[in-house]
Amino acid sequence: MSGRKRKIQSKSEHIPAKVLNKLKKTSNVNEIEQSHYFIKNDPKLKLGEDFFKQPCITLAKAFLGKVLVRRRADGVELRGKIVETEAYLGGEDRASHSAGGKCTQRNTAMFMKPGTIYVYPIYGIYLCMNVSSEGEGAAVLLRSLEPVQGQSNMRQLRTAKRKDGARQLKDKELCNGPSKLCQALDVPRCFDRRDLASDPEVWLERDANADQDDVSNIVSAPRIGIESHGEWAKKPLRYYILGHPCVSVRNKEAERMIESELMTNHSD
């Protein structure tokens, strides 16, 4: 962390003091300077439509470690690394909104081309964000993110939805749930049916600091909140990065299994 901070400070030395002082009064310049994404923002990192053309389970795992970017109307960019997803397989999946192959006004995005955003309300006040994959009616729920840029903005957006006097949220709590990440990244209902591969306000990137595209140590566990759907409630279609603090709900049994596998592979 200290090495990264020194690097960023050296960049700011090239900005005239008068300009820096003005920026500090009008924007979150300190936060931007602390973000490695401010320096490494590269159009080549953006993922195009080919990335989304994958079977649902494959895409749900491929999302892990990728960065969801939200550019707000004022130009501020919020970024969060995806650390947890759930796969919904389409017509055969009894827990899916598209169960039985039924296409409705609400779930139309699930039947559109891979990479289409599906935003739907829960409990009448919260939103969840999904992305369609290959397979009719199949989509991936984005369940948790690690905040990596724009934390102060995220905190303000989350606080606006909370009761007065509530304690201040820790960074790891800003996006550790499907509705929380929609609040923190200001994902509105109107994003439904937009194309994540081409939209100017929300898109997906590779992690500029990752050594490789694929994340290892992926935990597979049952999905959350679908207990009434029989055998489908038990299928391990939730995926998250082992040991990550921003995961919404840990499954210790599933973690013990993968840890055992890792130890066996290491001993071999």
Side-chain angles (χ1 to χ4, degrees):
M1 289 295 290
S2 59
R4 179 180 296 169
K5 190 172 291 185
R6 286 195 297 270
K7 181 179 180 181
I8 294 171
Q9 288 172 344
S10 66
K11 285 282 184 180
S12 65
E13 290 172 359
H14 298 290
I15 304 176
K18 185 182 294 185
V19 176
L20 264 179
N21 290 333
K22 184 177 179 180
L23 285 171
K24 288 178 181 178
K25 295 178 181 179
T26 59
S27 68
N28 296 315
V29 66
N30 290 332
E31 179 180 334
I32 293 174
E33 286 181 337
Q34 292 169 5
S35 171
H36 56 275
Y37 283 95
F38 182 70
I39 296 172
K40 294 188 176 182
N41 196 348
D42 184 349
K44 295 179 181 179
L45 296 174
K46 187 173 181 179
L47 292 163
E49 60 182 18
D50 288 344
F51 172 80
F52 302 99
K53 294 178 181 177
Q54 303 186 56
C56 192
I57 291 175
T58 306
L59 183 62
K61 295 178 181 180
F63 267 127
L64 299 177
K66 303 303 187 295
V67 178
L68 182 65
V69 186
R70 165 74 165 107
R71 178 180 289 158
R72 304 184 71 195
D74 59 3
V76 171
E77 292 183 359
L78 310 177
R79 281 177 164 81
K81 183 189 295 185
I82 300 171
V83 300
E84 183 181 1
T85 61
E86 290 182 351
Y88 288 86
L89 307 183
E92 65 173 330
D93 188 343
R94 306 313 300 175
S96 174
H97 289 178
S98 58
K102 186 176 181 180
C103 181
T104 66
Q105 180 67 20
R106 182 176 80 157
N107 72 2
T108 295
M110 300 182 77
F111 293 86
M112 296 173 69
K113 73 173 188 173
T116 301
I117 300 170
Y118 173 39
V119 179
Y120 66 86
I122 57 173
Y123 307 123
I125 53 175
Y126 302 117
L127 298 174
C128 292
M129 178 178 175
N130 304 254
V131 183
S132 66
S133 67
E134 284 186 344
E136 186 175 6
V140 176
L141 171 68
L142 304 185
R143 187 165 179 87
S144 293
L145 309 177
E146 173 195 348
V148 292
Q149 180 176 321
Q151 287 90 328
S152 65
N153 282 274
M154 293 180 188
R155 188 167 284 106
Q156 291 172 7
L157 288 162
R158 286 291 317 282
T159 301
K161 299 288 186 179
R162 306 180 79 216
K163 295 180 180 179
D164 292 340
R167 67 172 178 81
Q168 181 169 309
L169 293 168
K170 299 176 181 178
D171 279 5
K172 68 179 182 179
E173 299 173 315
L174 292 174
C175 307
N176 63 335
S179 61
K180 293 177 183 179
L181 71 85
C182 284
Q183 290 176 9
L185 267 68
D186 191 21
V187 174
R189 181 77 171 88
C190 65
F191 275 18
D192 186 51
R193 304 186 193 181
R194 290 196 185 186
D195 183 5
L196 193 57
S198 61
D199 198 279
E201 296 182 82
V202 59
W203 64 87
L204 201 67
E205 292 180 348
R206 293 183 177 85
D207 183 355
N209 290 305
D211 294 330
Q212 57 185 16
D213 283 341
D214 297 328
V215 171
S216 58
N217 303 345
I218 296 175
V219 178
S220 300
R223 295 170 291 185
I224 304 297
I226 59 166
E227 291 77 11
S228 63
H229 294 283
E231 64 175 335
W232 283 94
K234 301 176 182 178
K235 293 185 181 296
L237 295 173
R238 179 167 67 101
Y239 307 99
Y240 65 86
I241 299 174
L242 178 65
H244 201 288
C246 294
V247 170
S248 64
V249 180
R250 291 179 55 193
N251 187 303
K252 294 184 178 180
E253 182 180 353
E255 290 181 5
R256 283 194 293 267
M257 290 178 62
I258 190 171
E259 287 169 351
S260 177
E261 292 176 6
L262 291 171
M263 290 180 63
T264 300
N265 292 337
H266 181 71
S267 62
D268 291 343

